[in-house]
Amino acid sequence: MTTTIAELSADPHPVLARLRAEAPLSWVPVLDGWLVTDHALAQRVMRDAATYTVDDPRFSTATVVGPSMLSLDGAEHARHREPYVPPFRPGPVRDHFAGFVTAAVARLLDGLAPAAHAELRADFAGPLAVEVMADALGLTGVDPATVRSWYAALVESVSEVTSGRSPTAAGAAAMAELRARIPLGVEGLTTEEMVANAAVLMFGGIDTTESMVANLVLHLLTHPGVLAEVRADRALVADAIEESLRLEPAASVVDRYATRDVTVGDAHVRAGDLVRVSIAGANRDPAVFTDPDTFDLRRPNARANLSFALGPHFCLGARLARAEAEIAVDGLLDRFPALRLDRPVTPEGLVFRKPPELPVSW
């Protein structure tokens, strides 16, 4: 099926629905790879790291930051990932991060309140995500704006590599700054491995969480009935988070590479082919989600969304991201009872999907 990057970036959902109706796995020329749009096949691909791997020289993030838990599979992936698991378990998220996020939300909203209007993505969701990730990485004493600048330089460098060009000097400088400031001493990892994993945690915890919070607020403000229900019963915030994640996942695709020839239906995948899993497509599969294009606060299986991936690369910080979103929305609703969207906006982006801006008043 013919489509364009612009179409997939602006509103991919009609294209994904047509592809899914034709086959669970489709060759998309503009991506130079296969696209999975079916919920069941998406699960299978993400769980089968032996057949669909991230460990491929074309994985652009590894070119910029080096081998890490993001770009390795098998025993090496486990060696890189396991040391970072404990801080994101329920106890630390509850006992440390919840208090940190609550304080950060209050401080950010204190700064916004006098103006009676704000651009919530740039002035709230983004700074919150950066502050929390800086704390998670132990970057005490480093200004969040500096952390944000490192991250922006790394994103730009990865984008250059993805486009077939060389990593940027600014990206290399950001890695050097991170190396100089990141706490070292993670057992079983070299200094370079620790720095690489810190960088990929930034990728996992900044853009995606910013997008997750912005998309959630946008969904609430554009569904007045849902917003009224959530205001009346804050226990429903958790349900709103899952439905927002399902309807518009912050990270809409994940990439894998076939390690061997494999046949899926009528599709014949060759060893080395790119197999891109559309999380956005899988999350709107009508075989799993009734009336999938509708925001349904009472959807009984909303947690079947695949927005944090599955298998060995399931998002390490999923629990923290959910906590951030819940505390952020609770804070906004408490502080601004008359919160409203100033003008219509829609999420966009090929990989990270979020509104380009989120102008609000109260």
Side-chain angles (χ1 to χ4, degrees):
M1 177 181 175
T2 301
T3 186
T4 65
I5 292 296
E7 193 174 23
L8 291 171
S9 299
D11 181 10
H13 302 296
V15 174
L16 297 175
R18 293 198 298 272
L19 288 172
R20 192 190 313 106
E22 294 172 5
L25 183 64
S26 306
W27 179 261
V28 179
V30 73
L31 299 177
D32 194 26
W34 300 92
L35 190 65
V36 177
T37 51
D38 171 271
H39 191 275
L41 182 58
Q43 292 184 79
R44 193 191 322 163
V45 169
M46 289 189 286
R47 285 178 168 142
D48 185 1
T51 304
Y52 306 98
T53 186
V54 297
D55 194 351
D56 185 280
R58 289 167 290 177
F59 205 94
S60 53
T61 304
T63 302
V64 174
V65 308
S68 71
M69 69 178 90
L70 184 67
S71 58
L72 295 168
D73 274 316
E76 276 296 280
H77 169 259
R79 181 176 70 85
H80 279 250
R81 180 182 171 102
E82 285 306 313
Y84 295 93
V85 171
F88 299 103
R89 287 179 173 145
V93 169
R94 179 188 63 246
D95 298 335
H96 169 72
F97 284 117
F100 182 90
V101 174
T102 299
V105 165
R107 181 168 31 77
L108 288 167
L109 295 180
D110 282 346
L112 296 178
H117 63 85
E119 199 280 89
L120 281 185
R121 206 200 94 188
D123 297 337
F124 178 65
L128 176 64
V130 172
E131 286 193 31
V132 174
M133 187 46 55
D135 179 73
L137 293 175
L139 292 169
T140 54
V142 181
D143 182 70
T146 299
V147 177
R148 181 63 152 179
S149 71
W150 296 346
Y151 175 69
L154 292 174
V155 169
E156 176 62 26
S157 191
V158 170
S159 297
E160 289 293 294
V161 172
T162 303
S163 300
R165 294 182 286 271
S166 299
T168 66
M175 286 297 289
E177 291 285 346
L178 187 59
R179 184 181 298 108
R181 304 298 291 271
I182 203 75
L184 302 176
V186 176
E187 187 175 349
L189 297 181
T190 68
T191 296
E192 294 307 310
E193 290 169 344
M194 283 182 271
V195 176
N197 283 299
V200 302
L201 285 171
M202 289 171 65
F203 276 92
I206 294 179
D207 236 328
T208 50
T209 306
E210 174 187 324
S211 302
M212 180 179 170
V213 172
N215 289 338
L216 173 60
V217 174
L218 177 61
H219 284 139
L220 290 174
L221 295 182
T222 52
H223 295 83
V226 172
L227 179 60
E229 286 190 80
V230 170
R231 282 194 179 280
D233 182 1
R234 294 304 178 80
L236 293 174
V237 172
D239 297 321
I241 289 171
E242 296 307 314
E243 181 66 346
S244 178
L245 283 169
R246 185 199 65 80
L247 198 64
E248 199 69 81
S252 66
V253 294
V254 295
D255 289 351
R256 301 290 186 266
Y257 298 89
T259 61
R260 60 180 177 86
D261 292 354
V262 60
T263 298
V264 180
D266 295 328
H268 302 289
V269 180
R270 296 171 300 173
D273 280 357
L274 169 65
V275 179
R276 174 166 282 187
V277 177
S278 173
I279 304 296
N283 278 0
R284 297 197 187 197
D285 186 342
V288 178
F289 303 104
T290 302
D291 197 11
D293 297 324
T294 299
F295 190 101
D296 182 358
L297 186 62
R298 310 289 177 173
R299 188 178 297 278
N301 65 340
R303 276 189 172 264
N305 76 77
L306 303 179
S307 299
F308 291 113
L310 281 179
H313 292 278
F314 178 78
C315 177
L316 191 67
R319 187 175 287 106
L320 174 57
R322 286 184 169 108
E324 279 185 68
E326 186 162 359
I327 294 168
V329 166
D330 268 334
L332 279 167
L333 298 184
D334 285 342
R335 185 67 64 91
F336 305 132
L339 186 68
R340 63 187 181 276
L341 192 64
D342 283 348
R343 58 184 175 277
V345 292
T346 56
E348 60 183 44
L350 180 65
V351 177
F352 296 115
R353 291 192 56 77
K354 56 193 171 188
E357 59 179 355
L358 194 56
V360 299
S361 302
W362 53 86

